[in-house]
Amino acid sequence: MDYIGEHLLPGQIGHFFAILSLVASLVATIAFFKANQEKDLLQKTNWLKLARISFLLETVSVLAMFGTLYYIISNHLFEYKYAWQHSDKSLQVEYLLSCFWEGQEGSFMLWSFWHCVLGWFIIWRAKEWEAGVMTVMSFAQFSLATMLIGVYFFEHRVGSSPFVLLRNEMDAPIFSSPNYLEGIYNQGGQGLNALLQNYWMVIHPPILFLGFASTLVPFAYAFAGLMNKNHEWIKRSLPWASFSAGILGLGIMMGAAWAYESLSFGGYWAWDPVENASLVPWLTLVAGLHTNLIFKSSGYSLRTTYFFYIISFILVLYSTFLTRSGVLGDTSVHAFTDLGMNVQLYLFLNVFVWLPTIFAAKELKTKLQIIVVFIAANVISYWYPWFTLISIFGSFIWLTVLLNKHVPTIKKEESTYSREFWMYIGSLVIFLSAIIIIFQTSLPVLNKLIGRKYAPPEDIILQYNQIQIFVAFVVGFLTAVTQYLKYKDTPKEFFGKNVLLPTIISVVISLCISIFGGIHYDKHGAGFLFAIHLAIFSAVYAIVANAGYIWIGLKGKMKSAGASIAHIGFGMVLLGVLISASRKEVLSYNTTGIAAFKQEKGGEDPRENITLFKGQPTDMGKYMVTYVNNYMNAVDRKKYYQVDFVPKDGGKGFSLYPDVIKMNKGGEGFSANPDAKHYLHKDIFAYLTSVPKEGEADTSTFQPRQMKVGDTLFYGSGRMVLQDVSLNPEGTKHKIAAGDSLMVLDILVIANSGALYRTFPAIRLNHDNTKSIADSVLAEGLTFQFGKLLPDQKTFEVGVKESKVLPDFVTLKVYEFPMINMLWLGVIVMFFGFILSMYYRSTQLKNKLLVKK
C-alpha cells in the first residue's frame, strides 16, 4: 500500500547512521586493540590511524542520528513512533530536547554522544595510553550502538530504533487507510510526560549522562592497566576521576533540585531507587579517587583503586539495568518502562563484569578458564535466573583474588598517624555505605530472581537514614581531621597543635546550632536525635577544619586547595541536609475543619493540608493566607493558583503560584508542581494537594426548615443553632440603605470537627417589597436563605442548601525549609572544588611529562 504524506527519508538516514555507528565502533574497537598489542611502531601507527578514522565515523554517525531525531521531533513527524510517543504540537520549543531523554533510545544516544566527546579528549591527551583506553571506550560505544539498531536476528530483536514508523509498531484499523497520517496529525502525539515539563529536565539529564559516561574513563584506564600489566595508568586517571566525581555529583543534585521544584513529595531526596542507582556509583568513585591519591603519594592502595574504578562503571551499568528493565516500575516514580531488551541489558552489564576478571589473569590457561565459566554461568542463568547473583558475585571474588595475586603492594603497614591510613578507612566506610544502599535498592531484583516477595518497610526513608546518618558522621569527621595528617607518618605534637583550634571552633559552633537552632526532631526517638547532633558537629567540623587547612597547611594557595574546597562543599551539603530535614516544619495544619480528601495508605495526611476558599482569608499559624485567583497559562498548559501569604508578625507579605498540569501518558487527574518563596535562611514551599473537579455541577436545592430562637437542627457534618433574630442590627455584613428595614437571623454553625461559624441570612423590607439575602458558610458547603416569618410570630422558615460540591477552593500543603540554601550552595562549592582539583592534577601531570621529555 502506498501511504500518503509520509516523510521516509529522515528515518532512512537515521537507520543508515545507526548501522554505520555499530560497524564503525566495532572496527575502532578492533583497531585500537591491535594498536595496543602491536610492538612494531609502524604497524602500531597504521592501526591507530584506522582506529581514529573509525572513531571519527562513529562520532559523525552519532551526531547525524542526534540531528535526524531532533528534526523528526521538532517537525512533529508523527509517522515515527518516537515523535508520536514523546512529543506533541503544543509543546514548548525549550522542551523538545527533553523528548530525547524521555525515551530509552534517546537517552542511549545521549550517553553515546558524551562517549564520543570524551573519546576525542583521550585521543588528544592520553598519549601512550590512547590505544588501551580507547579500546574500552570503543567497545562501550559498540555496546550502546547495539541498543539503537532495532534489527532482527532469527526472530529476536536487537536494540530499539528511534527511527521506526508508527504503523510498523502498532496494529490499529487506522493504518489500513493510505491517508492514515491525516487522522494522526489531527489528533497529535502523546506528548511529553507532565512531570518532565520543567526546565531542570532540559539540563539535568545531559549533565547526569555526562557523569555516567565519564565513569568509563577511570574504568578504561584501569582496564588498560590490566591488559598491559602496567600500573602507571593510575597517575593519568586522577584528573579524570576528579572530573567524573564532580560532574556526576552535580548531575545527581540537579535531579534533587528538579524533584524539589517539580515533584510534590515535599523535598529534594526520597531514597527513590533511581536516585540511589545514580548515587551509589558516585560513592564508589569518590572512594576510588581517595585511594588513587593514597597511591600517588605513598604507594599504598593500588589494588583497591583498581577495584573501586572498575566497580564504579559496573554500578553505572547496573543502574542502567535497574532503571530500564522495568523491574523498578512499581517502586520508583521515574524509572523507564520495559522495552523488551532485558536480556540485552543484562549482557551489557555481564560482559563488563567479566572482562576485567579475564584480563586480570596473567596466564592464558586462567583466562580460558574464566571464559568457560563465564559462558557456563550465563547458560545456567538462562534457565535459573537466580544464578545470575552467584555469577556476578563470583566474578568480583575472582577479580579480587587475581588483583591480590598480580598487582604489587607495599608489605609494610601504614602508621595510624598517617594520612593514607585514615583516607583508606574513610574510603572503606563510603564503600560500605554504597553496599548497604545498593542492597536495599535491589530488593525488587532479588524478588524477581528468587521468586520471593520481600516487602519494603513502612518507612523507607527511615530505613536508609538510620544507617546513613552514622556514615555521614564518620565521613564528615574524617574529612576534617585527615587533612592535618601527613603521608607516611605525622608527629603527634604537630597534629595536635594544628587541629586544636579548628576543633574548638567547631565544637562551639555546633553546640550553638544544637542548643539555639531549634533542632528537636524526636519523630524517631532520642537516639536518632542524638545522631543528628553528632552529624551536625561533623559537618561543621568538615567546613571549619578544611577552611583552616587552606590557611594553615596550604598557606592560602588556592590553586592546590581543590580537595579542601570540595570537602568544605561536602560539609555544607551535609549541614544543609541535616538542618533542613530535621527542622522541616509543616505550616499548613488544617484550621478549617474541612478535609478535601481521605487519607490513603502512604498518602497525604489531611491534617497537614489546609483548605482555602476563594477570597476568604484563613488563619494558618504564622500566616494569614488567601486563595486569590487561578488562571490557565496557554503556553505551558498549566493552571496557576495565586495564594497570598501575610505574616502575622507584620513582615512583608508575598504570593506563591503553585500549579497543576493535566496528566498524560495514561495518567489520570492532575500533577501538582510546587512553588517556593526563597529567603536567605529558609524557603516557604507550597504545593496543591486538591482542587475542585472541573465540570462537576451542583444539583443541591434549598430545603425549608422551621426554627425558633434556641432551636438546634442537624446537617450532614454538624449542627446549626438559631441564636437570635434582630431588626436593623449593627455590626453585621449587611448594609442598611435609607428607607429599608432589615430582619436578620443569627445562626451559629457547629461542625463535627469543632469549628464554629456564624452566618446572617436576612430579609430586606422596602415599602411593600421584600428581598431575601442569602448567606453562606463556604467551609461547610452551606447556604442559608431567610424564607418568611410564620403566623405565630416566633417561628421562622429557613431555606438550607447543603451543597455536595464545594465552591472554588484549593487544598494546600506548606512547608518551611530552614537553611536549605546551605545545601544548594554546598553543591556548587563541592563541584568547584572537584574541578579545581582536576585542573591542578592535570597541570601537575603535564609538568611531570614535560620534565621527563
Side-chain angles (χ1 to χ4, degrees):
M1 181 184 298
D2 293 327
Y3 293 98
I4 300 172
E6 286 186 334
H7 302 79
L8 300 180
L9 183 59
Q12 292 168 350
I13 292 173
H15 278 298
F16 169 78
F17 281 109
I19 300 299
L20 181 58
S21 170
L22 180 76
V23 175
S25 58
L26 179 59
V27 173
T29 302
I30 296 170
F32 276 123
F33 180 76
K34 292 291 292 182
N36 183 68
Q37 299 296 107
E38 190 61 59
K39 302 300 181 183
D40 182 79
L41 183 60
L42 180 60
Q43 291 295 322
K44 186 182 186 74
T45 303
N46 290 335
W47 281 115
L48 273 177
K49 286 181 180 178
L50 176 61
R52 290 169 181 171
I53 292 171
S54 301
F55 193 75
L56 176 62
L57 285 175
E58 158 69 6
T59 304
V60 170
S61 299
V62 171
L63 291 174
M65 285 192 292
F66 206 100
T68 302
L69 188 57
Y70 183 78
Y71 175 83
I72 289 172
I73 293 172
S74 61
N75 286 277
H76 309 298
L77 303 184
F78 295 136
E79 57 265 47
Y80 292 97
K81 181 184 177 182
Y82 203 86
W84 175 82
Q85 202 169 36
H86 301 294
S87 70
D88 61 63
K89 292 180 180 179
S90 61
L91 194 65
Q92 300 100 291
V93 174
E94 59 266 28
Y95 294 147
L96 289 176
L97 279 175
S98 298
C99 299
F100 268 82
W101 23 93
E102 185 190 35
Q104 293 202 39
E105 300 92 336
S107 58
F108 278 128
M109 197 182 299
L110 177 64
W111 193 354
S112 186
F113 166 78
W114 284 126
H115 277 172
C116 290
V117 173
L118 295 172
W120 285 109
F121 275 98
I122 291 168
I123 291 172
W124 173 39
R125 299 296 298 272
K127 307 300 180 185
E128 71 273 13
W129 286 96
E130 175 192 344
V133 173
M134 286 304 298
T135 299
V136 182
M137 294 286 290
S138 298
F139 184 67
Q141 283 291 81
F142 171 75
S143 302
L144 288 173
T146 65
M147 302 290 178
L148 296 171
I149 55 175
V151 298
Y152 285 84
F153 289 96
F154 305 106
E155 300 182 355
H156 294 284
R157 189 175 71 175
V158 177
S160 178
S161 172
F163 304 108
V164 293
L165 293 170
L166 183 62
R167 60 179 166 85
N168 291 335
E169 296 292 308
M170 294 180 63
D171 186 15
I174 190 174
F175 298 117
S176 62
S177 169
N179 198 28
Y180 78 92
L181 268 180
E182 184 176 347
I184 290 179
Y185 271 59
N186 290 336
Q187 183 180 358
Q190 290 186 322
L192 183 66
N193 190 308
L195 292 174
L196 302 183
Q197 295 183 34
N198 179 283
Y199 67 94
W200 281 113
M201 275 296 114
V202 180
I203 57 177
H204 155 58
I207 298 299
L208 184 64
F209 273 93
L210 174 56
F212 285 157
S214 65
T215 61
L216 178 60
V217 182
F219 173 91
Y221 269 106
F223 194 95
L226 293 176
M227 279 197 302
N228 298 331
K229 306 299 182 286
N230 183 347
H231 310 303
E232 291 296 313
W233 64 271
I234 203 163
K235 299 175 183 177
R236 300 297 192 104
S237 65
L238 190 53
W240 281 106
S242 297
F243 170 78
S244 184
I247 206 71
L248 181 56
L250 181 65
I252 293 169
M253 293 312 296
M254 280 184 169
W258 164 72
Y260 185 68
E261 292 194 13
S262 188
L263 299 183
S264 57
F265 63 80
Y268 43 82
W269 195 266
W271 293 108
D272 181 274
V274 172
E275 296 172 341
N276 298 346
S278 60
L279 174 65
V280 171
W282 182 80
L283 291 174
T284 56
L285 184 65
V286 169
L289 174 60
H290 284 82
T291 56
N292 196 337
L293 286 168
I294 291 172
F295 178 79
K296 176 181 176 294
S297 300
S298 67
Y300 290 99
S301 299
L302 177 58
R303 297 167 178 173
T304 315
T305 307
Y306 265 109
F307 182 79
F308 282 150
Y309 282 166
I310 289 170
I311 201 173
S312 294
F313 180 65
I314 288 172
L315 282 167
V316 167
L317 298 183
Y318 180 62
S319 72
T320 302
F321 174 77
L322 282 181
T323 56
R324 296 166 191 277
S325 63
V327 71
L328 296 180
D330 298 329
T331 57
S332 174
V333 297
H334 47 348
F336 290 95
T337 55
D338 181 11
L339 278 184
M341 295 195 300
N342 287 5
V343 172
Q344 196 172 344
L345 288 168
Y346 167 71
L347 288 175
F348 187 16
L349 166 66
N350 210 26
V351 166
F352 276 91
V353 165
W354 282 89
L355 275 177
T357 308
I358 294 171
F359 281 93
K362 280 188 175 182
E363 302 84 6
L364 179 60
K365 179 182 177 181
T366 308
K367 292 180 185 291
L368 293 175
Q369 288 174 345
I370 296 171
I371 292 172
V372 170
V373 172
F374 165 68
I375 295 172
N378 280 277
V379 171
I380 296 172
S381 298
Y382 180 80
W383 298 106
Y384 302 99
W386 55 265
F387 195 78
T388 303
L389 300 175
I390 298 175
S391 170
I392 293 176
F393 186 70
S395 174
F396 285 138
I397 296 297
W398 206 339
L399 173 63
T400 304
V401 170
L402 290 171
L403 289 176
N404 285 330
K405 182 178 179 181
H406 298 304
V407 176
T409 187
I410 298 174
K411 300 297 182 182
K412 181 182 176 183
E413 291 187 4
E414 305 101 315
S415 166
T416 54
Y417 268 82
S418 67
R419 181 182 291 191
E420 62 267 24
F421 177 82
W422 291 107
M423 283 177 68
Y424 186 76
I425 295 298
S427 298
L428 291 184
V429 171
I430 293 172
F431 180 56
L432 177 63
S433 169
I435 291 175
I436 294 170
I437 294 172
I438 203 63
F439 175 76
Q440 293 172 323
T441 305
S442 299
L443 282 178
V445 179
L446 296 174
N447 288 335
K448 288 201 172 188
L449 289 177
I450 65 180
R452 297 184 65 179
K453 183 66 176 177
Y454 291 100
E458 290 187 8
D459 193 338
I460 294 178
I461 293 178
L462 175 62
Q463 180 193 30
Y464 286 98
N465 287 346
Q466 64 187 358
I467 298 174
Q468 299 306 322
I469 191 159
F470 291 104
V471 172
F473 165 71
V474 173
V475 173
F477 183 84
L478 292 177
T479 298
V481 300
T482 304
Q483 292 281 71
Y484 290 86
L485 293 168
K486 294 183 177 182
Y487 285 105
K488 298 184 180 178
D489 197 16
T490 309
K492 294 180 182 180
E493 297 78 12
F494 173 86
F495 173 74
K497 177 183 176 181
N498 286 287
V499 84
L500 179 61
L501 182 60
T503 303
I504 294 173
I505 294 173
S506 300
V507 169
V508 172
I509 294 175
S510 60
L511 281 176
C512 289
I513 294 173
S514 295
I515 296 171
F516 305 110
I519 299 173
H520 308 298
Y521 186 84
D522 57 358
K523 186 177 179 180
H524 302 302
F528 192 76
L529 178 60
F530 179 70
I532 290 174
H533 288 292
L534 281 179
I536 287 174
F537 164 71
S538 72
V540 172
Y541 200 12
I543 297 170
V544 173
N546 279 279
Y549 180 75
I550 294 175
W551 180 258
I552 297 170
L554 300 177
K555 310 300 182 183
K557 296 177 182 177
M558 297 301 296
K559 66 178 182 179
S560 56
S564 297
I565 292 172
H567 291 161
I568 292 171
F570 170 75
M572 293 172 68
V573 169
L574 182 56
L575 187 61
V577 167
L578 290 166
I579 295 178
S580 65
S582 61
R583 287 196 57 205
K584 172 183 170 182
E585 181 183 359
V586 177
L587 301 181
S588 53
Y589 283 107
N590 198 336
T591 59
T592 66
I594 301 300
F597 55 88
K598 294 182 180 179
Q599 184 174 12
E600 299 179 1
K601 186 176 181 180
E604 293 282 355
D605 185 349
R607 294 170 298 179
E608 296 181 352
N609 295 263
I610 190 166
T611 300
L612 307 176
F613 294 94
K614 189 174 181 179
Q616 182 174 317
T618 304
D619 187 346
M620 194 189 75
K622 300 178 182 179
Y623 299 90
M624 290 297 296
V625 291
T626 307
Y627 161 37
V628 178
N629 205 352
N630 67 73
Y631 63 92
M632 178 66 74
N633 187 320
V635 177
D636 60 15
R637 304 176 309 287
K638 295 179 180 179
K639 193 170 187 178
Y640 292 85
Y641 292 78
Q642 180 184 346
V643 182
D644 289 350
F645 289 69
V646 179
K648 290 182 181 178
D649 61 5
K652 186 178 180 181
F654 58 91
S655 297
L656 292 182
Y657 297 87
D659 66 83
V660 294
I661 183 172
K662 186 174 177 58
M663 291 290 286
N664 54 4
K665 304 284 189 180
E668 297 182 358
F670 291 85
S671 170
N673 294 293
D675 192 20
K677 173 66 175 176
H678 304 290
Y679 294 95
L680 187 62
H681 64 294
K682 67 179 180 181
D683 275 7
I684 305 298
F685 175 96
Y687 62 92
L688 300 165
T689 52
S690 181
V691 295
K693 293 182 180 179
E694 294 185 358
E696 189 173 0
D698 183 9
T699 58
S700 57
T701 58
F702 284 102
Q703 301 297 319
R705 313 286 288 271
Q706 295 183 3
M707 303 182 72
K708 293 180 180 180
V709 175
D711 281 355
T712 299
L713 298 176
F714 292 88
Y715 68 99
S717 56
R719 63 188 188 275
M720 61 193 81
V721 180
L722 178 57
Q723 297 190 121
D724 194 14
V725 181
S726 54
L727 186 66
N728 297 329
E730 294 182 0
T732 69
K733 63 177 72 176
H734 306 297
K735 293 183 179 179
I736 304 174
D740 288 355
S741 295
L742 204 65
M743 181 175 287
V744 181
L745 304 180
D746 183 353
I747 299 175
L748 176 67
V749 175
I750 307 169
N752 286 340
S753 64
L756 302 177
Y757 308 92
R758 288 180 70 188
T759 181
F760 302 95
I763 288 181
R764 187 184 300 277
L765 305 172
N766 188 325
H767 303 294
D768 295 329
N769 299 321
T770 61
K771 182 180 179 182
S772 178
I773 303 174
D775 199 7
S776 300
V777 179
L778 294 176
E780 294 294 296
L782 295 173
T783 305
F784 296 90
Q785 191 175 59
F786 191 162
K788 58 185 176 181
L789 177 64
L790 297 180
D792 66 0
Q793 299 295 308
K794 294 182 179 180
T795 306
F796 304 89
E797 183 180 278
V798 182
V800 180
K801 182 167 72 169
E802 188 174 352
S803 177
K804 294 182 175 61
V805 179
L806 290 174
D808 195 0
F809 75 95
V810 294
T811 301
L812 198 69
K813 189 156 190 177
V814 185
Y815 289 108
E816 181 176 296
F817 281 99
M819 298 302 292
I820 193 168
N821 287 330
M822 176 73 75
L823 164 64
W824 306 124
L825 181 60
V827 171
I828 296 171
V829 172
M830 185 166 60
F831 174 72
F832 176 73
F834 276 122
I835 297 305
L836 182 61
S837 179
M838 176 203 73
Y839 176 77
Y840 178 68
R841 301 297 178 188
S842 181
T843 303
Q844 274 191 325
L845 179 62
K846 183 178 179 180
N847 291 337
K848 285 183 180 179
L849 292 175
L850 288 174
V851 169
K852 284 184 178 180
K853 287 183 178 180

